[in-house]
Amino acid sequence: MKKYNIVLMVSDDHGRETLGCYGNPVAKTPNLDRLASEGTMFQNAFCTSPSCAASRSVILTGTHNHTNGTYGHTHHYHHFSAFNWVKTLPALLAEAGYRTGRVGKKHFAPESIYPFDFGGEEREFDRDDVAASESCREFIEADDPFFLYWCSFNPHRDGRTIDSHPCKPNSFGNPVEPFEGDVEETFTDEEVIVPPFLTDNPEARAELAQYYQSIARLDRGVGRLMQVLKDAGKYDDTLIIYLSDNGAAFPASKTTLYDPGMRLPFIVRSPEQARRGVSTDALASWVDITPTVLDAAGVVPEGVSFQGRSILPVLDQESPEDWREEIYGSHSFHELTNYYPMRIIRSKKYKFIWNIAHPLDFSFAEDLWNSATWEVVKRDKPEYFGVRKVDAYIKRPKFELYDLENDPDEIDNLAGKTEYAEMVEAYCEKLKAFQKETKDPWLHKWEYE
């Protein structure tokens, strides 16, 4: 079997509502749109944990973050990390004879179990994705087969606000002057599209304009990487995957298991596809990424088990039969102080959430709490934030159940209604079985709390 080259691109906080191919007419993502037209675009793809490090541990191990030990952020004093015995994707590919390379964001630990032959300092290119892609040219042009893990810092928030703007939005990593050899794409506050999970006000629009600009720069980096592959004559022999680690860095999205936080862009272009430009409704999860890459590489590791499955068999199918009916999610921490464990089951029709720490107020990530978008809530104390009541967002019940076909914004909680009692009980039993199978330390909460 031919060992295909593999490029796995992971962006940072890129919600699916801001790609042209997913229906946004304002966001500028021509290169990702082109990739989708040549491959498969998943309409039901989900991270398992809507937080950077935890999500990336799932992507690179094929196991839930509570299984591999990465309960939250790995950097700074947060200090979570995977167990030393975990077999990661780069390690398994290296053992199979692949050259392994990375560029950009790491957010994994310990580094000893994530071996890469090629890769510089994490912040070497920072927000300059075009330069990051160009730096991979020599690695791509060398011997086959190779695995490249390309990770952008865009469009994550950064530590800078634009004080010249009356709303003082975050800059989302947008440079004061364009990077060398690149031209910035800017957006006005008026032209951006405010998604339902945000309130349409000047602060949200100001931050979305910066967010769109960061996404456009991310897309240019993707385009340069595709060109490097073509220049090397390897584009058609490379499995290319694009996804985001979690949803947009806005309240009601990132760190939540509502759909804006976990239903994400997922685009796959395989050399073996019989049909291209396909849109599939197959349920996909980030636990599927490692099994998919290993499947494309023809690698069947001994003594290693995964909690996902390869999605290659469904790439050509718009609505595959005999595929999974549900996916599971697991979130415990963001930053060390953001303890709010949740477990979920999601099908195409329903979502069930167990808020394990439900007596506590929902915990905010620092950058979301301090965002201009949320400062309005702290200042004006409105009843609603987007389509959801502020009180319902912060004070959550033990269980949430939503009919996604009739309630896509996840507002009408059915869990407390008598006619859904049996469904709630059935979902509870499914979650217990999932937790037991995946060695979830929070399983005991059913008995002790």
Side-chain angles (χ1 to χ4, degrees):
M1 174 180 176
K2 180 180 176 61
K3 289 182 177 289
Y4 288 109
N5 298 315
I6 298 158
V7 171
L8 172 58
M9 297 180 286
V10 181
S11 58
D12 206 352
D13 300 358
H14 188 190
R16 77 192 294 272
E17 67 279 352
T18 41
L19 285 90
C21 56
Y22 280 96
N24 189 313
V26 177
K28 297 293 195 300
T29 56
N31 295 294
L32 287 168
D33 299 347
R34 187 176 304 109
L35 187 66
S37 73
E38 298 177 1
T40 298
M41 181 171 60
F42 282 76
Q43 299 295 343
N44 289 302
F46 303 86
C47 69
T48 67
S49 187
S51 180
C52 301
S55 183
R56 289 161 192 268
S57 77
V58 177
I59 292 167
L60 291 176
T61 67
T63 61
H64 286 271
N65 67 292
H66 64 252
T67 305
N68 66 55
T70 311
Y71 305 121
H73 277 350
T74 58
H75 69 292
H76 202 32
Y77 54 75
H78 311 296
H79 202 52
F80 291 106
S81 68
F83 299 118
N84 289 326
W85 48 261
V86 172
K87 296 289 287 188
T88 67
L89 179 57
L92 292 168
L93 288 172
E95 291 175 2
Y98 270 74
R99 293 185 301 112
T100 60
R102 50 147 294 277
V103 65
K105 188 167 184 174
K106 295 180 182 177
H107 240 38
F108 52 66
E111 292 196 24
S112 60
I113 68 170
Y114 295 91
F116 287 97
D117 305 318
F118 162 85
E121 293 296 322
E122 185 176 34
R123 287 282 184 179
E124 183 177 0
F125 303 101
D126 200 29
R127 299 305 183 112
D128 188 352
D129 285 342
V130 170
S133 293
E134 190 61 38
S135 76
C136 300
R137 187 176 291 273
E138 185 175 345
F139 174 80
I140 288 173
E141 290 175 344
D143 295 336
D144 296 335
F146 69 80
F147 167 67
L148 176 62
Y149 182 53
W150 185 95
C151 294
S152 174
F153 282 94
N154 295 311
H156 196 289
R157 290 173 179 268
D158 66 4
R160 184 172 62 87
T161 58
I162 301 176
D163 293 334
S164 60
H165 192 293
C167 294
K168 292 181 169 48
N170 187 272
S171 71
F172 286 85
N174 297 322
V176 176
E177 297 292 336
F179 294 113
E180 184 177 353
D182 193 21
V183 178
E184 287 294 309
E185 182 93 37
T186 60
F187 298 81
T188 66
D189 299 359
E190 293 74 26
E191 68 181 316
V192 298
I193 298 173
V194 182
F197 61 86
L198 297 179
T199 300
D200 190 346
N201 57 32
E203 289 79 6
R205 285 186 168 275
E207 294 215 302
L208 285 168
Q210 297 298 317
Y211 177 61
Y212 277 40
Q213 182 177 340
S214 187
I215 289 167
R217 187 170 55 260
L218 158 72
D219 184 80
R220 294 194 299 277
V222 171
R224 178 60 63 88
L225 187 61
M226 298 304 99
Q227 189 59 53
V228 171
L229 287 168
K230 291 174 181 177
D231 291 346
K234 299 186 178 184
Y235 183 74
D236 290 329
D237 291 328
T238 300
L239 174 72
I240 302 169
I241 299 174
Y242 177 84
L243 54 88
S244 174
D245 56 359
N246 48 250
F250 286 86
S253 180
K254 180 179 178 178
T255 75
T256 81
L257 286 168
Y258 299 128
D259 268 12
M262 65 178 301
R263 189 182 183 193
L264 302 172
F266 185 36
I267 301 169
V268 182
R269 185 190 189 280
S270 171
E272 294 186 342
Q273 281 187 255
R275 300 175 60 209
R276 300 197 177 277
V278 178
S279 178
T280 180
D281 68 0
L283 286 165
S285 166
W286 287 183
V287 288
D288 298 331
I289 304 304
T290 284
T292 297
V293 170
L294 293 176
D295 186 14
V299 177
V300 183
E302 295 183 5
V304 182
S305 60
F306 305 108
Q307 291 157 358
R309 59 195 293 195
S310 172
I311 53 87
L312 294 184
V314 302
L315 287 184
D316 299 329
Q317 303 177 48
E318 295 174 3
S319 189
E321 298 179 359
D322 301 323
W323 188 244
R324 63 162 63 97
E325 296 181 355
E326 298 168 331
I327 59 98
Y328 290 79
S330 162
H331 181 75
S332 300
F333 289 88
H334 181 63
E335 294 150 352
L336 179 63
T337 52
N338 296 141
Y339 176 75
Y340 201 87
M342 301 171 280
R343 302 292 181 266
I344 73 117
I345 303 175
R346 193 201 191 279
S347 66
K348 292 178 183 177
K349 181 171 175 57
Y350 291 105
K351 178 182 286 183
F352 179 71
I353 306 175
W354 175 30
N355 294 307
I356 301 173
H358 70 95
L360 301 176
D361 287 355
F362 183 73
S363 181
F364 280 77
E366 182 180 6
D367 60 342
L368 303 186
W369 176 257
N370 292 325
S371 67
T373 303
W374 190 255
E375 285 292 340
V376 181
V377 178
K378 292 190 284 185
R379 182 191 69 210
D380 298 342
K381 296 180 172 49
E383 182 180 6
Y384 282 86
F385 181 73
V387 293
R388 181 174 279 104
K389 286 188 175 182
V390 173
D391 189 60
Y393 181 66
I394 296 174
K395 298 181 182 298
R396 304 185 182 186
K398 184 175 183 179
F399 299 124
E400 298 177 70
L401 175 65
Y402 300 106
D403 179 344
L404 299 170
E405 290 181 357
N406 297 305
D407 180 26
D409 293 321
E410 303 164 278
I411 302 302
D412 183 17
N413 182 14
L414 306 175
K417 298 183 179 182
T418 304
E419 59 267 38
Y420 290 93
E422 290 186 7
M423 183 180 291
V424 168
E425 181 59 30
Y427 274 129
C428 287
E429 293 306 310
K430 283 185 176 183
L431 274 183
K432 291 175 186 177
F434 160 73
Q435 290 182 280
K436 184 176 181 180
E437 180 182 352
T438 59
K439 297 180 174 58
D440 185 352
W442 277 263
L443 175 62
H444 78 282
K445 292 290 188 177
W446 292 104
E447 183 175 351
Y448 293 109
E449 293 187 17

